[in-house]
Short mmCIF file of all heavy atoms in Angstrom, two decimals:
data_model
loop_
_atom_site.label_atom_id
_atom_site.label_comp_id
_atom_site.label_asym_id
_atom_site.label_seq_id
_atom_site.Cartn_x
_atom_site.Cartn_y
_atom_site.Cartn_z
N GLN A 1 4.26 1.51 -3.10
CA GLN A 1 4.24 0.86 -4.40
C GLN A 1 4.38 -0.65 -4.24
O GLN A 1 3.70 -1.43 -4.88
CB GLN A 1 5.34 1.39 -5.29
CG GLN A 1 5.06 2.82 -5.79
CD GLN A 1 6.26 3.45 -6.45
OE1 GLN A 1 7.39 2.97 -6.31
NE2 GLN A 1 6.03 4.53 -7.15
N GLU A 2 5.27 -1.07 -3.36
CA GLU A 2 5.49 -2.50 -3.11
C GLU A 2 4.22 -3.17 -2.56
O GLU A 2 3.98 -4.34 -2.86
CB GLU A 2 6.65 -2.70 -2.14
CG GLU A 2 7.98 -2.35 -2.73
CD GLU A 2 9.11 -2.40 -1.73
OE1 GLU A 2 8.94 -2.95 -0.64
OE2 GLU A 2 10.18 -1.88 -2.06
N LEU A 3 3.42 -2.41 -1.82
CA LEU A 3 2.18 -2.95 -1.29
C LEU A 3 1.26 -3.41 -2.42
O LEU A 3 0.53 -4.38 -2.29
CB LEU A 3 1.48 -1.89 -0.44
CG LEU A 3 0.16 -2.24 0.18
CD1 LEU A 3 0.30 -3.40 1.19
CD2 LEU A 3 -0.44 -1.03 0.89
N TYR A 4 1.33 -2.73 -3.56
CA TYR A 4 0.43 -3.05 -4.68
C TYR A 4 1.05 -4.03 -5.65
O TYR A 4 0.42 -4.38 -6.64
CB TYR A 4 0.05 -1.74 -5.39
CG TYR A 4 -0.80 -0.83 -4.52
CD1 TYR A 4 -0.20 0.14 -3.73
CD2 TYR A 4 -2.17 -1.03 -4.44
CE1 TYR A 4 -0.98 0.94 -2.90
CE2 TYR A 4 -2.93 -0.23 -3.61
CZ TYR A 4 -2.33 0.76 -2.86
OH TYR A 4 -3.10 1.56 -2.03
N ASP A 5 2.25 -4.50 -5.42
CA ASP A 5 2.91 -5.43 -6.32
C ASP A 5 2.11 -6.68 -6.66
O ASP A 5 2.22 -7.19 -7.77
CB ASP A 5 4.28 -5.85 -5.77
CG ASP A 5 5.37 -4.84 -6.05
OD1 ASP A 5 5.11 -3.85 -6.77
OD2 ASP A 5 6.47 -5.02 -5.54
N PRO A 6 1.31 -7.25 -5.74
CA PRO A 6 0.60 -8.45 -6.12
C PRO A 6 -0.27 -8.30 -7.36
O PRO A 6 -0.56 -9.28 -8.06
CB PRO A 6 -0.27 -8.76 -4.90
CG PRO A 6 0.48 -8.16 -3.76
CD PRO A 6 1.10 -6.92 -4.34
N PHE A 7 -0.67 -7.08 -7.68
CA PHE A 7 -1.47 -6.87 -8.89
C PHE A 7 -0.65 -6.96 -10.15
O PHE A 7 -1.18 -7.21 -11.23
CB PHE A 7 -2.21 -5.53 -8.81
CG PHE A 7 -3.24 -5.48 -7.76
CD1 PHE A 7 -3.02 -4.79 -6.58
CD2 PHE A 7 -4.45 -6.14 -7.92
CE1 PHE A 7 -3.98 -4.76 -5.59
CE2 PHE A 7 -5.41 -6.12 -6.93
CZ PHE A 7 -5.17 -5.42 -5.77
N LYS A 8 0.69 -6.72 -10.03
CA LYS A 8 1.59 -6.79 -11.18
C LYS A 8 0.95 -6.14 -12.40
O LYS A 8 0.80 -6.72 -13.45
CB LYS A 8 2.00 -8.22 -11.45
CG LYS A 8 2.85 -8.78 -10.35
CD LYS A 8 3.42 -10.11 -10.72
CE LYS A 8 4.36 -10.68 -9.71
NZ LYS A 8 4.10 -10.54 -8.34
N ASP A 9 0.59 -4.90 -12.26
CA ASP A 9 -0.19 -4.17 -13.26
C ASP A 9 0.50 -2.83 -13.52
O ASP A 9 1.18 -2.30 -12.65
CB ASP A 9 -1.61 -3.93 -12.69
CG ASP A 9 -2.58 -3.48 -13.72
OD1 ASP A 9 -2.34 -2.42 -14.32
OD2 ASP A 9 -3.61 -4.15 -13.91
N ASP A 10 0.31 -2.30 -14.70
CA ASP A 10 0.88 -1.00 -15.02
C ASP A 10 0.20 0.14 -14.29
O ASP A 10 0.65 1.27 -14.33
CB ASP A 10 0.80 -0.75 -16.52
CG ASP A 10 1.67 -1.69 -17.33
OD1 ASP A 10 2.69 -2.17 -16.79
OD2 ASP A 10 1.34 -1.93 -18.50
N CYS A 11 -0.90 -0.12 -13.62
CA CYS A 11 -1.71 0.91 -12.99
C CYS A 11 -1.45 1.04 -11.49
O CYS A 11 -2.31 1.49 -10.75
CB CYS A 11 -3.20 0.62 -13.22
SG CYS A 11 -3.63 0.54 -14.94
N VAL A 12 -0.26 0.69 -11.06
CA VAL A 12 0.07 0.72 -9.60
C VAL A 12 -0.18 2.12 -9.04
O VAL A 12 -0.80 2.27 -7.96
CB VAL A 12 1.50 0.27 -9.34
CG1 VAL A 12 1.91 0.50 -7.91
CG2 VAL A 12 1.65 -1.20 -9.68
N MET A 13 0.28 3.13 -9.73
CA MET A 13 0.10 4.50 -9.24
C MET A 13 -1.38 4.84 -9.13
O MET A 13 -1.80 5.49 -8.19
CB MET A 13 0.82 5.51 -10.15
CG MET A 13 2.33 5.40 -10.11
SD MET A 13 3.02 5.70 -8.46
CE MET A 13 2.74 7.44 -8.29
N GLU A 14 -2.15 4.39 -10.09
CA GLU A 14 -3.59 4.61 -10.04
C GLU A 14 -4.21 3.97 -8.82
O GLU A 14 -5.04 4.55 -8.14
CB GLU A 14 -4.24 4.07 -11.32
CG GLU A 14 -5.73 4.26 -11.39
CD GLU A 14 -6.34 3.62 -12.64
OE1 GLU A 14 -5.66 3.56 -13.68
OE2 GLU A 14 -7.49 3.16 -12.54
N TYR A 15 -3.79 2.73 -8.50
CA TYR A 15 -4.32 2.04 -7.32
C TYR A 15 -3.95 2.80 -6.05
O TYR A 15 -4.76 2.94 -5.14
CB TYR A 15 -3.78 0.60 -7.23
CG TYR A 15 -4.15 -0.31 -8.38
CD1 TYR A 15 -3.31 -1.32 -8.77
CD2 TYR A 15 -5.34 -0.15 -9.07
CE1 TYR A 15 -3.63 -2.17 -9.79
CE2 TYR A 15 -5.67 -0.98 -10.13
CZ TYR A 15 -4.81 -2.00 -10.48
OH TYR A 15 -5.15 -2.84 -11.49
N GLN A 16 -2.67 3.22 -6.00
CA GLN A 16 -2.20 3.98 -4.84
C GLN A 16 -3.01 5.23 -4.64
O GLN A 16 -3.45 5.53 -3.53
CB GLN A 16 -0.75 4.38 -5.09
CG GLN A 16 0.26 3.66 -4.28
CD GLN A 16 1.61 4.22 -4.56
OE1 GLN A 16 2.22 3.88 -5.56
NE2 GLN A 16 2.09 5.07 -3.70
N GLU A 17 -3.18 5.98 -5.72
CA GLU A 17 -3.94 7.24 -5.62
C GLU A 17 -5.40 6.97 -5.23
O GLU A 17 -5.95 7.71 -4.44
CB GLU A 17 -3.85 7.99 -6.95
CG GLU A 17 -2.46 8.57 -7.20
CD GLU A 17 -2.28 9.10 -8.62
OE1 GLU A 17 -3.29 9.20 -9.35
OE2 GLU A 17 -1.12 9.42 -8.96
N GLU A 18 -5.98 5.94 -5.81
CA GLU A 18 -7.37 5.61 -5.50
C GLU A 18 -7.51 5.24 -4.02
O GLU A 18 -8.42 5.72 -3.33
CB GLU A 18 -7.85 4.43 -6.35
CG GLU A 18 -9.27 4.04 -6.03
CD GLU A 18 -9.71 2.81 -6.81
OE1 GLU A 18 -9.01 2.39 -7.78
OE2 GLU A 18 -10.78 2.26 -6.45
N ALA A 19 -6.60 4.44 -3.52
CA ALA A 19 -6.66 4.03 -2.10
C ALA A 19 -6.52 5.26 -1.21
O ALA A 19 -7.28 5.41 -0.22
CB ALA A 19 -5.57 3.02 -1.79
N GLU A 20 -5.61 6.15 -1.56
CA GLU A 20 -5.41 7.33 -0.73
C GLU A 20 -6.65 8.24 -0.80
O GLU A 20 -7.07 8.79 0.22
CB GLU A 20 -4.18 8.10 -1.18
CG GLU A 20 -3.79 9.20 -0.22
CD GLU A 20 -2.43 9.76 -0.49
OE1 GLU A 20 -1.70 9.23 -1.34
OE2 GLU A 20 -2.09 10.77 0.16
N GLN A 21 -7.25 8.39 -1.99
CA GLN A 21 -8.45 9.21 -2.11
C GLN A 21 -9.63 8.62 -1.34
O GLN A 21 -10.37 9.33 -0.68
CB GLN A 21 -8.85 9.36 -3.57
CG GLN A 21 -7.95 10.31 -4.35
CD GLN A 21 -8.31 10.37 -5.83
OE1 GLN A 21 -9.10 9.57 -6.33
NE2 GLN A 21 -7.69 11.30 -6.54
N ARG A 22 -9.80 7.30 -1.47
CA ARG A 22 -10.98 6.65 -0.84
C ARG A 22 -10.83 6.52 0.67
O ARG A 22 -11.78 6.71 1.41
CB ARG A 22 -11.20 5.27 -1.46
CG ARG A 22 -11.70 5.33 -2.90
CD ARG A 22 -11.82 3.97 -3.48
NE ARG A 22 -13.00 3.30 -2.93
CZ ARG A 22 -13.39 2.08 -3.32
NH1 ARG A 22 -12.73 1.42 -4.23
NH2 ARG A 22 -14.44 1.53 -2.78
N TRP A 23 -9.62 6.15 1.12
CA TRP A 23 -9.47 5.80 2.52
C TRP A 23 -8.38 6.60 3.25
O TRP A 23 -8.11 6.34 4.41
CB TRP A 23 -9.16 4.31 2.65
CG TRP A 23 -10.25 3.46 2.07
CD1 TRP A 23 -11.52 3.32 2.55
CD2 TRP A 23 -10.17 2.62 0.92
NE1 TRP A 23 -12.23 2.47 1.75
CE2 TRP A 23 -11.42 2.00 0.74
CE3 TRP A 23 -9.14 2.32 0.01
CZ2 TRP A 23 -11.70 1.14 -0.30
CZ3 TRP A 23 -9.43 1.45 -1.03
CH2 TRP A 23 -10.69 0.86 -1.16
N GLY A 24 -7.76 7.55 2.57
CA GLY A 24 -6.64 8.27 3.12
C GLY A 24 -6.89 8.93 4.48
O GLY A 24 -5.97 9.09 5.26
N ASN A 25 -8.10 9.31 4.75
CA ASN A 25 -8.42 9.97 6.03
C ASN A 25 -8.95 8.99 7.08
O ASN A 25 -9.36 9.45 8.14
CB ASN A 25 -9.45 11.08 5.80
CG ASN A 25 -8.88 12.22 4.97
OD1 ASN A 25 -7.70 12.54 5.10
ND2 ASN A 25 -9.69 12.82 4.15
N THR A 26 -8.87 7.71 6.79
CA THR A 26 -9.40 6.74 7.75
C THR A 26 -8.29 6.25 8.68
O THR A 26 -7.11 6.26 8.34
CB THR A 26 -10.01 5.50 7.04
OG1 THR A 26 -8.98 4.81 6.36
CG2 THR A 26 -11.13 5.92 6.08
N GLU A 27 -8.70 5.80 9.85
CA GLU A 27 -7.78 5.24 10.82
C GLU A 27 -7.06 4.02 10.23
O GLU A 27 -5.85 3.85 10.40
CB GLU A 27 -8.52 4.86 12.11
CG GLU A 27 -7.65 4.27 13.18
CD GLU A 27 -6.76 5.28 13.85
OE1 GLU A 27 -7.08 6.50 13.82
OE2 GLU A 27 -5.73 4.87 14.43
N ALA A 28 -7.80 3.20 9.50
CA ALA A 28 -7.22 1.97 8.93
C ALA A 28 -6.11 2.33 7.95
O ALA A 28 -5.04 1.69 7.96
CB ALA A 28 -8.30 1.14 8.26
N TYR A 29 -6.34 3.29 7.09
CA TYR A 29 -5.32 3.67 6.10
C TYR A 29 -4.10 4.22 6.82
O TYR A 29 -2.95 3.84 6.49
CB TYR A 29 -5.90 4.72 5.15
CG TYR A 29 -4.93 5.11 4.05
CD1 TYR A 29 -4.85 4.41 2.88
CD2 TYR A 29 -4.09 6.21 4.19
CE1 TYR A 29 -3.97 4.76 1.87
CE2 TYR A 29 -3.19 6.58 3.20
CZ TYR A 29 -3.15 5.85 2.04
OH TYR A 29 -2.25 6.20 1.04
N MET A 30 -4.31 5.08 7.78
CA MET A 30 -3.17 5.67 8.50
C MET A 30 -2.37 4.58 9.26
O MET A 30 -1.15 4.59 9.25
CB MET A 30 -3.65 6.77 9.44
CG MET A 30 -4.10 8.01 8.69
SD MET A 30 -4.59 9.36 9.75
CE MET A 30 -6.36 9.24 9.66
N GLN A 31 -3.09 3.65 9.88
CA GLN A 31 -2.42 2.51 10.57
C GLN A 31 -1.57 1.74 9.57
O GLN A 31 -0.43 1.39 9.86
CB GLN A 31 -3.42 1.59 11.19
CG GLN A 31 -3.92 1.97 12.52
CD GLN A 31 -4.89 0.89 13.05
OE1 GLN A 31 -5.35 0.03 12.35
NE2 GLN A 31 -5.17 1.00 14.33
N SER A 32 -2.16 1.45 8.43
CA SER A 32 -1.50 0.66 7.41
C SER A 32 -0.21 1.34 6.96
O SER A 32 0.85 0.70 6.88
CB SER A 32 -2.44 0.42 6.24
OG SER A 32 -1.81 -0.33 5.24
N MET A 33 -0.29 2.61 6.67
CA MET A 33 0.89 3.34 6.22
C MET A 33 1.97 3.37 7.32
O MET A 33 3.14 3.22 7.03
CB MET A 33 0.53 4.76 5.77
CG MET A 33 -0.31 4.79 4.50
SD MET A 33 0.49 4.06 3.06
CE MET A 33 -0.38 2.48 2.93
N GLN A 34 1.56 3.56 8.57
CA GLN A 34 2.51 3.55 9.66
C GLN A 34 3.18 2.20 9.82
O GLN A 34 4.41 2.11 10.03
CB GLN A 34 1.83 3.95 10.98
CG GLN A 34 1.45 5.39 11.06
CD GLN A 34 0.63 5.71 12.30
OE1 GLN A 34 0.20 4.82 13.03
NE2 GLN A 34 0.38 7.01 12.54
N ARG A 35 2.42 1.15 9.70
CA ARG A 35 2.99 -0.20 9.85
C ARG A 35 3.89 -0.54 8.68
O ARG A 35 4.92 -1.22 8.88
CB ARG A 35 1.86 -1.21 10.04
CG ARG A 35 1.15 -1.00 11.38
CD ARG A 35 -0.03 -1.89 11.55
NE ARG A 35 -0.71 -1.58 12.83
CZ ARG A 35 -1.80 -2.17 13.23
NH1 ARG A 35 -2.37 -3.14 12.53
NH2 ARG A 35 -2.37 -1.82 14.38
N ILE A 36 3.53 -0.12 7.50
CA ILE A 36 4.39 -0.39 6.32
C ILE A 36 5.73 0.29 6.48
O ILE A 36 6.76 -0.26 6.12
CB ILE A 36 3.69 0.06 5.02
CG1 ILE A 36 2.55 -0.90 4.69
CG2 ILE A 36 4.67 0.13 3.85
CD1 ILE A 36 1.66 -0.43 3.57
N GLN A 37 5.71 1.50 7.03
CA GLN A 37 6.94 2.25 7.22
C GLN A 37 7.97 1.50 8.09
O GLN A 37 9.16 1.69 7.92
CB GLN A 37 6.66 3.62 7.86
CG GLN A 37 5.91 4.56 6.95
CD GLN A 37 6.67 4.82 5.67
OE1 GLN A 37 7.87 5.06 5.68
NE2 GLN A 37 5.96 4.74 4.55
N LYS A 38 7.48 0.69 8.99
CA LYS A 38 8.34 -0.04 9.91
C LYS A 38 8.91 -1.34 9.31
O LYS A 38 9.78 -1.94 9.89
CB LYS A 38 7.59 -0.35 11.21
CG LYS A 38 7.21 0.90 11.97
CD LYS A 38 6.38 0.56 13.19
CE LYS A 38 5.95 1.84 13.90
NZ LYS A 38 5.05 1.56 15.01
N MET A 39 8.39 -1.73 8.17
CA MET A 39 8.83 -2.98 7.55
C MET A 39 10.06 -2.80 6.70
O MET A 39 10.20 -1.78 6.00
CB MET A 39 7.70 -3.54 6.66
CG MET A 39 6.46 -4.00 7.40
SD MET A 39 5.17 -4.56 6.28
CE MET A 39 5.88 -6.07 5.69
N THR A 40 10.93 -3.79 6.75
CA THR A 40 12.06 -3.79 5.82
C THR A 40 11.60 -4.39 4.49
O THR A 40 10.53 -5.02 4.41
CB THR A 40 13.21 -4.66 6.38
OG1 THR A 40 12.79 -6.03 6.40
CG2 THR A 40 13.67 -4.21 7.75
N LYS A 41 12.39 -4.18 3.47
CA LYS A 41 12.07 -4.76 2.15
C LYS A 41 11.99 -6.28 2.26
O LYS A 41 11.11 -6.90 1.70
CB LYS A 41 13.09 -4.32 1.12
CG LYS A 41 12.73 -4.77 -0.29
CD LYS A 41 13.65 -4.15 -1.30
CE LYS A 41 13.36 -4.68 -2.68
NZ LYS A 41 12.39 -3.94 -3.39
N GLY A 42 12.88 -6.88 3.03
CA GLY A 42 12.88 -8.33 3.24
C GLY A 42 11.60 -8.80 3.91
O GLY A 42 11.03 -9.83 3.51
N GLU A 43 11.16 -8.08 4.91
CA GLU A 43 9.92 -8.45 5.61
C GLU A 43 8.73 -8.31 4.67
O GLU A 43 7.82 -9.17 4.67
CB GLU A 43 9.69 -7.53 6.82
CG GLU A 43 10.65 -7.79 7.95
CD GLU A 43 10.60 -6.74 9.03
OE1 GLU A 43 10.27 -5.55 8.75
OE2 GLU A 43 10.90 -7.07 10.20
N MET A 44 8.77 -7.27 3.82
CA MET A 44 7.67 -7.09 2.88
C MET A 44 7.64 -8.23 1.84
O MET A 44 6.58 -8.76 1.53
CB MET A 44 7.82 -5.74 2.20
CG MET A 44 6.58 -5.26 1.49
SD MET A 44 6.73 -3.53 1.06
CE MET A 44 5.91 -2.82 2.47
N GLU A 45 8.81 -8.60 1.37
CA GLU A 45 8.89 -9.71 0.41
C GLU A 45 8.38 -11.02 1.04
O GLU A 45 7.64 -11.78 0.40
CB GLU A 45 10.32 -9.90 -0.09
CG GLU A 45 10.75 -8.86 -1.09
CD GLU A 45 9.90 -8.84 -2.35
OE1 GLU A 45 9.52 -9.92 -2.86
OE2 GLU A 45 9.59 -7.73 -2.82
N LYS A 46 8.78 -11.27 2.27
CA LYS A 46 8.34 -12.49 2.96
C LYS A 46 6.82 -12.49 3.14
O LYS A 46 6.15 -13.50 2.92
CB LYS A 46 9.02 -12.61 4.31
CG LYS A 46 8.71 -13.90 5.03
CD LYS A 46 9.50 -14.04 6.32
CE LYS A 46 9.11 -15.36 7.00
NZ LYS A 46 9.82 -15.56 8.23
N MET A 47 6.27 -11.33 3.47
CA MET A 47 4.80 -11.23 3.65
C MET A 47 4.10 -11.48 2.33
O MET A 47 3.09 -12.19 2.28
CB MET A 47 4.43 -9.87 4.20
CG MET A 47 2.94 -9.72 4.39
SD MET A 47 2.53 -8.29 5.38
CE MET A 47 2.83 -9.01 7.00
N LYS A 48 4.63 -10.93 1.23
CA LYS A 48 4.00 -11.15 -0.09
C LYS A 48 4.07 -12.62 -0.49
O LYS A 48 3.10 -13.16 -1.00
CB LYS A 48 4.67 -10.28 -1.15
CG LYS A 48 4.25 -8.82 -1.03
CD LYS A 48 4.71 -8.02 -2.25
CE LYS A 48 6.17 -7.69 -2.18
NZ LYS A 48 6.62 -6.80 -3.26
#
């Protein structure tokens, strides 16, 4: 959910679901989810 914060939109869940549907089986999506898991909230905020 934090990944989609830059959109600051009520449709965050929709974006999340769409991304997972479109790219969920791709290497890029899986890499992204693995890398996000390793980030702290502070690191995520700094990146944003």
Side-chain angles (χ1 to χ4, degrees):
Q1 288 169 344
E2 290 173 14
L3 178 64
Y4 294 93
D5 278 354
F7 292 105
K8 292 189 176 38
D9 193 301
D10 294 333
C11 301
V12 171
M13 292 300 289
E14 180 184 328
Y15 298 150
Q16 252 183 280
E17 290 170 9
E18 179 184 349
E20 190 168 353
Q21 285 175 351
R22 290 176 74 178
W23 300 293
N25 293 325
T26 65
E27 180 72 23
Y29 183 86
M30 289 183 259
Q31 276 183 346
S32 180
M33 291 301 104
Q34 288 172 352
R35 292 176 184 178
I36 287 171
Q37 291 302 314
K38 295 177 184 175
M39 293 176 71
T40 66
K41 186 171 175 89
E43 290 169 332
M44 195 167 266
E45 284 300 319
K46 185 176 179 180
M47 180 167 279
K48 285 191 283 186

